[in-house]
Amino acid sequence: MTFDGRLVKKIWVPDVFFVHSKRSFIHDTTTDNIMLRVFPDGHVLYSMRITVTAMCNMDFSRFPLDSQTCSLELESYAYTDEDLMLYWKNGNESLKTDEKISLSQFLIQKFHTTSRLAFYSSTGWYNRLYISFTLRRHIFFFLLQTYFPATLMVMLSWVSFWIDRRAVPARVSLGITTVLTMSTIITGVNASMPRVSYIKAVDIYLWVSFVFVFLSVIEYAAVNYLTTVQERKQRKLREKFPCTCGISSTKTVLLDGTYSDSDVSSLERYARGQIVTEEDKQDKMVIHLTMHNEPNASKKKGLKGYVNLRIIQNTHIIDNYSRLLFPGTYIFFNLVYWSVFC
């Protein structure tokens, strides 16, 4: 015989509750969703429809590449294990779920049932039933909303290495824009996350990406500073030797570090083709020595001194190194990151 919820109020039923429930209720549309079925052999089936919001302790150290294990715990409130025994009738087969069930952020990988005894110092031992769910977080949403934009911002910051070092507004604005965008991404991710006192996997990726973007700005600051120092030294050299020695002003400017091979060849032909008087010989030799003796002086300082002098004299070489160093280091970081957390 089958009865509705009206008979339940007149007979004894187990006083089972959910241990870590934060909010729960019995569905009552259109009446209380409770069923009582009595079999001829004396067995009683007691069923009700309940929605439970329960607490789940989660570890976000690998977020969003994490898996979480949550559990529902059922226990009698008043009756100890001497009065009431709770157990799963068919083990894991006692729990039936819909195969089409899905969550917005998680995939239910597996579940299992267990039973244990819980002890309270004031009342005694109680039977407790456990339903444990293993949940794996969907990563695709975070790839689109977090990882992919952060990677694009880092790649965008590398564009400044191909922009001329004299284009100060272009390189500075690009660097500041990428830094602010990375700050916005980090703030948005942290705003939607619980405030925890440890570092999450997504924090590592975002902050390393932020450091790469910030270093691209620092790189241009170094290039701009070395360029300024170089131009100041050349200006002092021109003030010390003001004579142009018959060379046009255009050729004099080309000697400031931006001359090409064709310009040097033309200057050499000019020096050979002209008859040099005794008065101009000293000035001519100054220009000739400036053009040809710098490499010889650098070699005497050893390999390290030569490399440092070359970087200072040709500040754009820092950009050339950065074009390889920044992408290579970031690719290596991604390989290590995804191999560790996936």
Side-chain angles (χ1 to χ4, degrees):
M1 299 183 63
T2 302
F3 304 92
D4 57 19
R6 291 175 295 179
L7 181 62
V8 174
K9 299 178 182 179
K10 299 179 180 181
I11 62 174
W12 178 90
V13 293
D15 57 342
V16 176
F17 74 103
F18 291 91
V19 178
H20 297 299
S21 173
K22 300 177 65 176
R23 179 176 177 270
S24 59
F25 61 92
I26 299 176
H27 292 261
D28 55 0
T29 306
T30 56
T31 60
D32 292 341
N33 297 169
I34 298 175
M35 181 193 70
L36 187 67
R37 182 172 296 171
V38 180
F39 294 92
D41 58 358
H43 285 85
V44 177
L45 173 64
Y46 177 51
S47 174
M48 65 175 60
R49 184 172 174 230
I50 304 176
T51 295
V52 180
T53 302
M55 180 185 66
C56 178
N57 293 322
M58 294 187 176
D59 180 14
F60 293 106
S61 58
R62 300 177 65 91
F63 175 89
L65 307 171
D66 58 334
S67 296
Q68 305 292 343
T69 301
C70 299
S71 62
L72 286 175
E73 303 175 12
L74 295 85
E75 181 183 313
S76 173
Y77 190 81
Y79 299 100
T80 65
D81 62 335
E82 297 178 355
D83 302 321
L84 178 65
M85 179 179 294
L86 298 177
Y87 63 93
W88 296 108
K89 185 177 181 180
N90 298 318
N92 291 338
E93 298 297 326
S94 302
L95 183 63
K96 300 294 184 181
T97 59
D98 188 356
E99 296 181 355
K100 298 181 180 180
I101 191 173
S102 62
L103 300 174
S104 59
Q105 290 193 30
F106 292 97
L107 171 67
I108 302 178
Q109 288 187 315
K110 60 180 180 179
F111 59 86
H112 64 277
T113 60
T114 56
S115 60
R116 303 173 190 169
L117 288 176
F119 176 74
Y120 298 92
S121 58
S122 58
T123 54
W125 293 89
Y126 294 82
N127 286 111
R128 181 178 296 184
L129 304 181
Y130 294 83
I131 308 173
S132 299
F133 300 89
T134 300
L135 309 174
R136 182 169 182 82
R137 196 181 305 271
H138 294 299
I139 185 60
F140 188 71
F141 171 80
F142 297 96
L143 287 176
L144 292 180
Q145 298 295 325
T146 303
Y147 288 96
F148 189 61
T151 304
L152 285 183
M153 288 301 104
V154 175
M155 297 174 64
L156 183 61
S157 68
W158 301 338
V159 176
S160 63
F161 303 149
W162 278 266
I163 300 177
D164 184 57
R165 64 182 185 275
R166 296 178 180 82
V168 178
R171 295 190 66 163
V172 171
S173 60
L174 179 60
I176 296 300
T177 300
T178 52
V179 168
L180 294 178
T181 304
M182 282 301 305
S183 300
T184 303
I185 294 175
I186 294 174
T187 304
V189 171
N190 291 331
S192 60
M193 282 292 299
R195 290 178 175 84
V196 294
S197 58
Y198 50 84
I199 298 177
K200 303 181 291 294
V202 67
D203 293 334
I204 297 176
Y205 193 90
L206 291 179
W207 280 106
V208 171
S209 300
F210 182 84
V211 169
F212 272 90
V213 172
F214 183 76
L215 288 179
S216 67
V217 179
I218 299 300
E219 184 270 348
Y220 177 63
V223 169
N224 187 269
Y225 173 76
L226 293 177
T227 302
T228 304
V229 172
Q230 179 185 0
E231 292 177 351
R232 187 182 298 116
K233 290 181 179 179
Q234 293 173 351
R235 191 180 304 110
K236 291 181 180 180
L237 183 62
R238 288 196 300 269
E239 293 174 356
K240 186 176 181 181
F241 304 103
C243 178
T244 60
C245 306
I247 302 176
S248 63
S249 59
T250 304
K251 295 298 182 182
T252 304
V253 173
L254 290 173
L255 286 175
D256 292 342
T258 59
Y259 53 84
S260 60
D261 294 338
S262 60
D263 295 326
V264 174
S265 300
S266 64
L267 288 176
E268 291 177 351
R269 290 194 301 271
Y270 178 84
R272 297 192 195 98
Q274 297 295 330
I275 299 175
V276 182
T277 63
E278 292 296 331
E279 297 177 354
D280 298 337
K281 182 178 294 185
Q282 183 178 1
D283 294 332
K284 295 285 186 178
M285 290 176 65
V286 169
I287 296 177
H288 184 72
L289 290 175
T290 302
M291 293 172 55
H292 295 284
N293 287 349
E294 279 190 355
N296 296 330
S298 300
K299 292 179 181 178
K300 295 179 181 179
K301 296 179 181 179
L303 181 60
K304 182 177 180 180
Y306 174 73
V307 172
N308 293 337
L309 181 62
R310 185 183 178 191
I311 292 177
I312 293 176
Q313 290 182 343
N314 304 287
T315 52
H316 62 278
I317 201 172
I318 300 179
D319 286 337
N320 293 337
Y321 289 151
S322 299
R323 294 171 189 174
L324 300 177
L325 182 61
F326 275 72
T329 307
Y330 193 69
I331 291 174
F332 176 75
F333 161 72
N334 274 272
L335 292 176
V336 174
Y337 179 87
W338 292 107
S339 61
V340 169
F341 289 103
C342 282

